[in-house]
Amino acid sequence: MNIGDHRLNRFWTISTLLLLTAAVLLAHRVLPDNASELLVQAIQSLHGPGFGTVAVLILFLLGESRQQRQTYLKAAVFAMALAGLSEITQIPGPRDAQFQDLFVDALGIAGFLSAHALMQTSFRRTMDRRRLIFAGLACVVTLAVTLTPTITLSLSLAQRTLMFPEIMAFESLWERRYSSIPNGNVVVVPAPVGWPVKNSRIGQLHSAGRWGIMLRIYPYPDWHEYSAVSFTAASAVDESVSITFSVRAGSASETFAHHRYLTKLLVSPKPTRYVVPFVDLMSHSTGDPINLAHVQALVISESHAKNGVRILVDDFRLEK
């Protein structure tokens, strides 16, 4: 290779690295409009696989060399430097900069570069059998830790899309990926005899005191084609229980600001299908009209000061 070819290759390598850097930084500055909580989690889980892929791309850009170990080290250092810069670019921005992301990035970089190295015959020949087995096991564990969150969250996104307009049925563990109970306790229990929905499992909610949230669901955010949300519920004690049912959604005038639209329901001991029209939610709220194309959360909470309230819920779904 003459000096001119070497300079040209160097120019293209540096240019491609700069473009790759710009693309990675830009990806950390944007977030899809109207992203659900589950989608945000899935995007966040791409840190490890994403920077692992970036490290392998950098390795190819650096090219083969006689000092192959140094080439892998350079790729790892460049990818980690880019990971650190990416976290800095998120301040401020729609995404959160978190120090622990750098640890996940490092795992992804180590796992992907290790897998690439172990696939090279020349690299394997430099290791004895015991070290090769240890390196292989370490690589598998690292890749599993890196890839499992992305795989499981992606499957959850696909399953949630397939079950829509059903929101939550308490039938699968993956549903818990887009629900949370910060102040109360939800337990998945077998459906009692005579339960009107043909499900094998239902949710048992327990309040943690006045205004305590018993269940918060982060659903698919676009409900504009539907007029109501329904669910089956029953008090778990021999008296009716008052709950607050609310939807957190954007207002018609503020797309990116979320407001609380609520109504109170009296849940009886007899399992009943409750239908909450969105017009009722708006009539009980003083804010702007609800924007059903930007729904953030569905929340069930305690509506008075009584402790220890328990209710059974099942089959949250949207109605036309």
Side-chain angles (χ1 to χ4, degrees):
M1 180 183 294
N2 58 42
I3 296 177
D5 290 339
H6 179 74
R7 287 179 176 176
L8 184 62
N9 286 339
R10 187 179 181 85
F11 169 78
W12 284 114
T13 298
I14 294 174
S15 299
T16 307
L17 285 173
L18 289 175
L19 287 174
L20 179 62
T21 299
V24 171
L25 296 182
L26 181 62
H28 283 79
R29 289 292 303 167
V30 298
L31 194 65
D33 290 339
N34 206 27
S36 67
E37 181 70 18
L38 186 58
L39 178 57
V40 171
Q41 290 180 37
I43 293 173
Q44 184 73 12
S45 74
L46 292 173
H47 266 275
F51 279 100
T53 302
V54 167
V56 174
L57 289 175
I58 293 171
L59 184 68
F60 280 111
L61 289 173
L62 293 177
E64 295 295 329
S65 71
R66 294 178 182 177
Q67 296 177 327
Q68 195 175 37
R69 292 180 186 272
Q70 274 99 347
T71 308
Y72 279 91
L73 181 60
K74 289 178 182 178
V77 170
F78 191 97
M80 275 306 302
L82 185 53
L85 188 59
S86 298
E87 291 302 313
I88 295 173
T89 60
Q90 295 179 73
I91 310 171
R95 297 174 61 176
D96 295 327
Q98 299 179 3
F99 181 77
Q100 57 264 36
D101 286 342
L102 294 177
F103 175 72
V104 178
D105 298 339
L107 283 179
I109 292 167
F112 276 59
L113 288 180
S114 298
H116 183 274
L118 289 171
M119 287 188 290
Q120 309 304 312
T121 304
S122 59
F123 187 88
R124 293 197 302 271
R125 285 174 179 173
T126 64
M127 306 176 69
D128 58 45
R129 185 176 180 182
R130 182 178 298 179
R131 291 176 60 194
L132 188 61
I133 292 174
F134 177 79
L137 289 175
C139 179
V140 169
V141 171
T142 303
L143 287 176
V145 173
T146 301
L147 294 173
T148 297
T150 300
I151 293 172
T152 56
L153 285 165
S154 298
L155 290 174
S156 296
L157 274 170
Q159 289 171 311
R160 187 191 66 179
T161 301
L162 290 173
M163 74 183 289
F164 192 77
E166 187 174 28
I167 299 172
M168 195 163 191
F170 301 95
E171 289 295 297
S172 305
L173 288 175
W174 66 264
E175 291 179 286
R176 297 194 181 190
R177 290 188 174 274
Y178 64 95
S179 64
S180 69
I181 311 90
N183 300 315
N185 183 29
V186 61
V187 180
V188 177
V189 298
V193 177
W195 190 255
V197 183
K198 293 182 179 180
N199 283 349
S200 59
R201 302 179 186 88
I202 62 175
Q204 179 177 271
L205 311 184
H206 182 197
S207 72
R210 189 179 186 184
W211 318 124
I213 293 177
M214 294 188 282
L215 177 66
R216 180 188 283 130
I217 303 173
Y218 300 99
Y220 181 78
D222 191 352
W223 292 4
H224 80 277
E225 294 183 354
Y226 301 87
S227 63
V229 61
S230 69
F231 65 102
T232 299
S235 170
V237 295
D238 294 331
E239 61 179 347
S240 296
V241 174
S242 178
I243 63 170
T244 297
F245 180 96
S246 63
V247 169
R248 315 291 169 88
S251 71
S253 61
E254 299 176 271
T255 302
F256 299 105
H258 289 99
H259 298 267
R260 187 174 180 233
Y261 301 87
L262 58 87
T263 188
K264 295 187 185 301
L265 299 173
L266 192 63
V267 179
S268 70
K270 179 182 178 181
T272 305
R273 189 81 188 172
Y274 295 88
V275 180
V276 182
F278 297 133
V279 292
D280 285 359
L281 290 177
M282 287 185 282
S283 66
H284 288 86
S285 303
T286 57
D288 292 340
I290 188 171
N291 185 349
L292 293 171
H294 293 271
V295 176
Q296 181 194 40
L298 183 157
V299 179
I300 290 182
S301 56
E302 174 60 80
S303 62
H304 53 75
K306 190 173 183 179
N307 279 322
V309 168
R310 288 186 298 118
I311 63 172
L312 305 175
V313 294
D314 191 18
D315 194 31
F316 288 84
R317 63 175 58 245
L318 295 172
E319 306 287 350
K320 290 285 189 178

